């Protein structure tokens, strides 16, 4: 794997000059073509031996292409709010839009490389983290994010010689870090660890390319050639099913049809229980233990099922500085230029906070499926992608609860007519609401499959009868309070 790079090949100045001129023109032309088409993002992951010239290469790419359309993303060890969200959060939120290029320095590979190069690497961690990376990159690739991973490598002698050469001049000594000077003693461990990482995570849709880095001209040429080949690649690569997150076979049951829609609560009982539940929620959300957790509430259901009213009864018990409500509608062009989960990753809460989604990422398997906005393969793949997403949320300390508020067609019709007559509610009714009624069976089938495939212990669905709004509000609060008191 590293034999060629450790032979330290080189290019003379005379050999390099014509290559440089040709590659710079080709890279710019390819970059502008991608900007014009705007159908894919390119993410270039920079990794490799310390002291191999990775920083100089990032500068080179910005010089050889138009830097206005390149976003350089540099990450160190996770800190602050990054520690309060899933590890991949910081990479998701910074994804450039389609047509543009991102250069990732200090990527999602850093913890894996450190572990693999340690004296006693934890093989279980390496396997689990590699699998998580493979799922992450497979989803990016399937959603139009092209991932190119560059490993910069050279021999131990060349690494030492380069460091000493740079240190010899005040003009270049700043390029050498204390870490660079320690590489020689650990070179074999780093090399072996790198081989493990590359073997675990190389794929056709997110390949590793080893860049010989002892000679600056060779390093620049090979880097440019790899990037150019990636930029010229057409279409979305075929991603084997083994790389995707998987959902287990599930029997689809008509849960909506089995619900008791006659469930009600007396008004006096409602008022007293509502107050008690809001008090318990207020205490739980203000408790010291909640400072190490977060709460994510997802609301789905038929139009006019009472999602907004249920949400207001929750927020009444919370400090307004503590929660965020994200109303979700059809994605705009800015959001469509990135993977569908991107807009939800951006709204994940810190510890001690509550995020409420009025509709959510489940639109992928509901409206986008029923309205045929995406291919069947995309919404079928989404169940496992969503389960994987929510598993990451739970692992980072989030309490994830999902509610489907269900009503019958006759009650929906009654509420639609009421909205049309009310000056305070008529803004809620749209032509789409009436049109969606015609596809009631299709939406019910999609909802039943969604409930069956994504109801998991770490992010359970609660199916709530909502023909009686008071009953639904109390049930929602009961589930939230019970979950918080059980987990805090």
């Amino acid at each position: 794997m590293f034999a060629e790079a450790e032979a330290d090949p080189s290019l003379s100045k005379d050999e390099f000059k014509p290559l440089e001129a040709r590659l710079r023109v080709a890279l710019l032309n390819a970059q502008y073509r991608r900007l014009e088409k705007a159908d894919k993002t390119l993410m270039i992951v920079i990794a490799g031996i310390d002291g191999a010239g990775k920083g100089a290469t990032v500068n080179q790419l910005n010089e050889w292409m138009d830097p206005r359309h390149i976003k350089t993303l540099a990450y160190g060890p996770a800190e602050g709010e990054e520690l309060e969200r899933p590890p991949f959060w910081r990479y998701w939120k910074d994804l450039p839009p389609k047509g543009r290029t991102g250069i990732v320095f200090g990527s999602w590979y850093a913890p894996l490389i450190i572990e693999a190069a340690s004296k006693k690497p934890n093989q279980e961690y390496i396997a689990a983290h590699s699998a998580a990376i493979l799922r992450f990159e497979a989803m990016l690739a399937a959603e139009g994010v092209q991932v190119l991973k560059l490993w910069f490598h050279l021999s131990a002698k060349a690494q030492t010689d380069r460091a000493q050469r740079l240190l010899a001049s005040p003009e270049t000594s700043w390029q050498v870090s204390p870490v660079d000077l320690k590489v020689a003693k650990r070179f074999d461990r780093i090399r072996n660890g790198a081989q493990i990482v590359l073997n675990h995570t190389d794929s056709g849709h997110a390949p590793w390319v080893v860049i010989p880095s002892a000679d600056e001209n060779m390093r620049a040429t090979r880097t440019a050639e790899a990037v150019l080949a990636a930029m010229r690649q057409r279409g979305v690569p075929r991603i084997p099913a083994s790389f995707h997150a998987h959902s287990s076979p599930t029997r689809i049951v008509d849960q909506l049809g089995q619900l008791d829609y006659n469930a009600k609560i007396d008004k006096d009982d409602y008022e007293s229980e509502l107050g008690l539940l809001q008090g318990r929620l207020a205490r739980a959300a203000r408790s010291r233990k909640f400072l190490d957790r977060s709460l994510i509430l997802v609301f789905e259901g038929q139009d006019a099922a009472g999602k907004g009213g249920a949400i207001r009864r929750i927020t009444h018990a919370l400090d307004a500085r503590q929660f965020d409500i994200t109303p979700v509608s059809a994605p705009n062009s800015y959001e469509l230029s990135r993977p569908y989960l991107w807009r939800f990753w951006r709204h994940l809460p810190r510890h001690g906070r509550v995020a409420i989604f009025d509709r959510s990422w489940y639109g992928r398997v509901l409206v986008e499926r029923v309205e045929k906005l995406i291919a069947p393969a995309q919404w079928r793949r989404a169940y496992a992608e969503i389960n994987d997403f929510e598993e990451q949320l739970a692992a980072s300390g989030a309490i994830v609860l999902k509610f489907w508020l269900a009503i019958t067609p006759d009650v929906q019709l009654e509420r639609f007519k009421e909205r049309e007559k009310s000056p305070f509610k008529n803004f809620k009714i749209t032509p789409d609401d009436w049109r969606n009624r015609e596809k009631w069976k299709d939406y019910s089938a999609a909802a039943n499959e969604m409930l069956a495939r994504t109801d998991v212990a770490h992010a359970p669905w609660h199916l709530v009868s909502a023909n009686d709004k008071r009953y639904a509000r109390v049930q929602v609060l009961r589930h939230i309070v019970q979950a918080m008191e059980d987990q805090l």
Side-chain angles (χ1 to χ4, degrees), residues 2-21:
F2 299 132
E4 184 203 14
E6 291 182 0
D8 299 327
S10 63
L11 281 174
S12 69
K13 186 179 292 186
D14 290 341
E15 292 172 315
F16 175 64
K17 281 298 180 183
L19 287 172
E20 178 187 15

Side-chain angles (χ1 to χ4, degrees), residues 441-456:
K441 289 184 179 179
D442 293 334
Y443 274 102
S444 295
N448 278 318
E449 184 165 1
M450 175 199 73
L451 294 167
R453 295 193 183 280
T454 61
D455 182 25
V456 289

Side-chain angles (χ1 to χ4, degrees), residues 195-371:
Q195 192 153 347
I196 291 170
V197 170
L198 269 62
N199 283 334
H200 273 73
T201 58
D202 186 45
S203 65
H205 56 271
W208 279 106
V209 178
V210 177
I211 305 294
S213 303
D215 176 72
E216 291 180 12
N217 293 340
M218 178 63 74
R219 184 184 68 222
T221 299
R222 289 292 187 86
T223 300
E225 289 174 342
V227 173
L228 181 60
M231 296 185 90
R232 286 175 168 172
Q233 183 177 310
R234 296 181 179 179
V236 177
R238 181 183 175 277
I239 303 165
S242 59
F243 284 94
H244 288 298
H246 287 281
S247 57
S248 56
T250 307
R251 188 169 69 93
I252 310 303
V253 177
D254 182 13
Q255 296 186 54
L256 293 178
Q258 297 174 2
L259 199 61
D260 178 11
Y261 290 97
N262 294 318
K264 293 183 178 181
I265 187 171
D266 179 82
K267 184 177 180 180
D268 291 338
D269 292 340
Y270 165 73
E271 295 293 348
S272 61
E273 187 163 1
L274 179 68
L276 289 172
L277 289 168
Q278 287 175 330
R280 289 166 65 186
L281 175 58
R283 287 191 293 275
R286 290 166 174 79
S287 69
R288 184 173 295 276
K289 290 182 179 179
F290 188 58
L291 295 176
D292 296 322
R293 305 294 298 274
S294 60
L295 177 63
I296 297 176
L297 304 175
V298 172
F299 285 87
E300 295 284 357
Q302 289 99 341
D303 296 321
K307 295 181 290 296
I311 290 170
R312 285 193 295 275
R313 272 62 184 185
I314 296 165
T315 57
H316 184 77
L318 303 174
D319 187 325
R321 297 166 295 181
Q322 189 182 23
F323 67 85
D324 291 295
I325 301 174
T326 301
V328 177
S329 56
N332 57 36
S333 59
Y334 186 72
E335 293 164 337
L336 286 170
S337 68
R338 295 169 175 85
Y340 72 94
L341 283 177
W342 172 80
R343 61 175 174 156
F344 304 108
W345 275 95
R346 297 171 67 218
H347 293 289
L348 298 185
R350 300 186 66 167
H351 288 172
R353 293 188 61 83
V354 181
I356 303 172
F357 292 90
D358 185 352
R359 299 209 182 276
S360 68
W361 43 93
Y362 283 99
R364 190 70 165 181
V365 296
L366 292 170
V367 64
E368 292 186 47
R369 166 185 172 172
V370 174
E371 303 298 335

Side-chain angles (χ1 to χ4, degrees), residues 94-116:
D94 290 340
L95 279 177
K98 289 179 179 177
R100 297 186 178 249
T101 299
I103 301 176
V104 188
F105 212 177
S107 71
W108 46 91
Y109 280 96
L112 183 59
I113 292 166
I114 291 170
E115 183 61 38

